[in-house]
Amino acid sequence: MPGRNLGADAHHRGGRPETPRPDTGPQGFCESCGSPTGGDAEALRAGESRFRAAFSDVGIGMLLIGTDNLVIEGNPAFAAMLGRESADLPGMHVRDIVDPEESSGRRYRELVRGERERMSAEKRLKHRGGHEVWGRVTASLIRDGRGAPHCTLVTVEDITEQRRLGDRLAYQALHDPLTRLPNRTAFYERLESAFKPGDQDRPGAGEEPRVGLCYVDLDGFAAINETLGHHVGDQLLVAVAARLERGFAHQDGRLVARLGGDEFAVLVTASDGDRQLTDLAAELMEALERPFEVAGHRLTVTASIGVVERPVHGSTPTDLVRDADSTLYWSKSDGRARWTLYDRDRGADQLTRHLLATALRPAVERGEFLVEYQPLVGLADGTVHGTEALVRWRHPRLGLLSPDRFIPIAEESGAIVPLGKWVLEESCRQTRRWLDEFPDAEAFVSVNLAARQIWDSDVVADVAEVLARTGLPARLLQLEITESDLLGPGGRPLQALQALADMGVRIAIDDFGTGYSNLAYLSRLPVHTLKLDATFVEAFREATPGADGRRAADEQIVGAVVQLAHALGLTVTAEGIENAAQVERLRLTGCDTAQGWYYARPGAPEAITAILRDQRR
Ligand code: C2E
Ligand code: MG
Ligand code: MG
């Protein structure tokens, strides 16, 4: 090992006159390195000159330092690192060679005292011309014949380039190249550390450590990008970043970061309450209000800000960011150019919606839904003509959920498409069974269809396929569409309705009377049935008509609607029938079918089977 041998070299020759010559071991070997100390002088000299040559020629820096911290000898490679000649080195003090630094300084002192054998550290070297030079320094202790520390052999590898590259990579990893602000990674690092227990008892953090976040998103940035080009958009981001950095970054416990796109965050890691954060949000809005001069344009932007502030305890970085994100969304949906403080109730509601939304599709695949059926009863003869299929979700944790809880969410997320298809198939299959068992009843099924199913899927093909697969004749399928969905923009739903009607499927307008549709217009659509909304039949609750003025009016409206519908060739179904009086009065208006708790609540298919069986007798 060259180090050892060079050590031996130092023992026997001595670099300088004042270097103490170590005693050689009693057995004629150097105790520290095992080299022969007496005996074969020839071999020794040969070895010595080989090592000397190695010492001066090797590319790595090497030096011997006495226990007095003065250099005994250094090789040319090391001298070059310092911009010196090797002859300059002997006698120099260690602190003239490397920057002193606490932890490695302590370890070096231990080494010199003989308390450790080896140490290494990355040290900044003192270059004669002041250049930055970094070395990976490894020092090994060399003991004298009695085992006492004699000197250290130090090797130094020049790692300046590696350091520079490393620094650049570290900088790049934590900064956004466009704005030079800390990036998302840096933001999360700081956020995580704010949630670490050790960080919480920083002075000034108060009794209970808290953290706050302003999540900033520019309003209408996409429009600027589109109309003025990405180049201008980029420059605007740079200008916004610079203003945020200047105004808000230079305070303890604050980090201004760009999270991506036109999203910025101001993190406050030792906040003292809501108020501090909402004040900050207001200042941020104000700071961004002044126009930006960018590439010859004077641009005015506003921002939406989500503000969250809370104790660190009981929360996580993920919760904080998620809630800030929701809150930002509230700011946007409440009209932009504003900040909003997180509200737990609003958040909880949204969280449930979110959980349901993400659970919906897998739940369809797992078969967590079921269909209940509610009879549609002919008012003239009191028999069941058909059923409405009403879906329910048997949620593993929340129990049986009614469609009002999840249909709107499914429509929003698009999960209504697979779900609706499943309901369609399930109810057609069941209705086909009833047809097999009770062919004379000819009971049809009425299935609700969401607008999104018409827009986002090939509903015509789906229906044809389901009818073919289940063997249900098209005339026994009715599809319910709400008034508002019918009058959507564009022609596609109408084409789809026409195609469905052409197939022989009946179309019903659900919740009729809650929208503003014009009956005469409806008659031009391929519609067969109006389902009068339950609020209408309220009027028919009492046996005596017109118990008060409003009811009398409603009753007349219902009568008129039924007459007009009939004139236009439509049948009418009344929803929400809860008592016998309503049945009687509705029958007098000429209404065709009725549906409601009075007859039966929605229930399992067996309940319908029982009714159909009774009817046959
Ligand atoms: P809808 O299509 O108007 O269905 C009628 C609703 O009125 C059903 O509520 C039914 O249970 C309820 N109802 C029936 N009789 C009475 C009564 O006498 N009194 C009162 N107060 N209510 C009565 P449900 O089952 O909760 O369904 C709610 C809505 O969810 C449905 O309103 C429909 O719009 C939607 N829906 C249900 N299943 C599906 C489906 O498979 N697909 C789609 N897209 N929507 C569905
Ligand atoms: Mg319906
Ligand atoms: Mg309805």
Side-chain angles (χ1 to χ4, degrees), residues 159-354:
I159 54 164
T160 312
E161 269 313 303
Q162 276 160 268
R163 272 294 274 234
R164 265 191 214 137
L165 183 66
D167 286 352
R168 201 157 63 231
L169 291 177
Y171 181 88
Q172 282 169 1
L174 296 176
H175 290 80
D176 163 44
L178 179 67
T179 63
R180 300 187 163 268
L181 283 183
N183 63 10
R184 179 175 279 272
T185 309
F187 168 78
Y188 273 98
E189 271 183 15
R190 181 74 69 85
L191 183 63
E192 304 255 331
S193 81
F195 277 82
K196 293 236 172 69
D199 230 40
Q200 296 171 10
D201 33 50
R202 276 190 325 270
E207 293 263 291
E208 199 188 8
R210 304 179 69 91
V211 61
L213 174 62
C214 286
Y215 202 156
V216 183
D217 186 290
L218 304 183
D219 299 323
F221 179 73
I224 291 177
N225 246 348
E226 262 161 44
T227 52
L228 301 176
H230 287 256
H231 179 63
V232 176
D234 281 358
Q235 280 184 267
L236 175 62
L237 291 175
V238 171
V240 167
R243 201 177 281 179
L244 293 179
E245 210 269 340
R246 223 177 306 122
F248 301 94
H250 301 283
Q251 282 188 39
D252 273 357
R254 284 229 191 136
L255 178 78
V256 175
R258 179 181 179 213
L259 300 185
D262 58 347
E263 282 176 23
F264 298 88
V266 183
L267 178 68
V268 180
T269 49
S271 69
D272 57 21
D274 280 6
R275 188 57 199 270
Q276 185 188 357
L277 268 287
T278 53
D279 286 352
L280 173 63
E283 286 166 31
L284 285 165
M285 305 266 314
E286 205 181 296
L288 295 176
E289 246 164 39
R290 269 181 298 120
F292 290 90
E293 305 288 344
V294 169
H297 299 275
R298 195 179 165 82
L299 301 175
T300 311
V301 294
T302 57
S304 298
I305 306 183
V307 185
V308 182
E309 200 282 336
R310 61 178 55 155
V312 161
H313 184 75
S315 188
T316 64
T318 319
D319 288 349
L320 188 82
V321 172
R322 185 202 55 217
D323 293 342
D325 192 51
S326 307
T327 313
L328 170 62
Y329 176 76
W330 301 340
S331 283
K332 292 265 181 205
S333 58
D334 291 348
R336 303 170 156 201
R338 71 193 59 222
W339 57 262
T340 309
L341 182 63
Y342 182 70
D343 167 357
R344 193 169 293 277
D345 290 344
R346 196 169 170 183
D349 183 52
Q350 184 168 312
L351 183 61
T352 321
R353 280 179 72 90
H354 175 75

Side-chain angles (χ1 to χ4, degrees), residues 388 448 480 482 509-512 531-534 575 595:
E388 178 172 2
N448 294 282
E480 300 189 9
T482 62
I509 306 297
D510 202 357
D511 305 339
F512 182 80
K531 292 191 75 176
L532 280 185
D533 191 71
E575 294 185 278
Q595 170 184 6

Side-chain angles (χ1 to χ4, degrees), residues 515-543:
Y516 301 94
S517 39
N518 165 328
L519 253 186
Y521 170 74
L522 286 183
S523 72
R524 275 184 262 126
L525 304 178
V527 168
H528 306 87
T529 300
L530 296 185
K531 292 191 75 176
L532 280 185
D533 191 71
T535 51
F536 262 97
V537 267
E538 288 274 297
F540 295 80
R541 241 171 218 289
E542 254 100 276

Side-chain angles (χ1 to χ4, degrees), residues 371-372 374 388-392 402-404 406-407 411 416 419-420 423-424 447-451 453 480 482 510-511 531 533-534 575-578 595-598 600-602:
V371 180
E372 289 191 334
Q374 188 175 31
E388 178 172 2
L390 295 158
V391 67
R392 277 90 179 89
S402 82
D404 296 332
F406 60 86
I407 291 286
E411 291 194 33
I416 191 69
L419 175 60
V423 173
L424 182 71
V447 180
N448 294 282
L449 199 63
Q453 285 175 268
E480 300 189 9
T482 62
D510 202 357
D511 305 339
K531 292 191 75 176
D533 191 71
E575 294 185 278
I577 305 304
E578 293 183 357
Q595 170 184 6
W597 297 348
Y598 172 68
R601 298 228 174 194

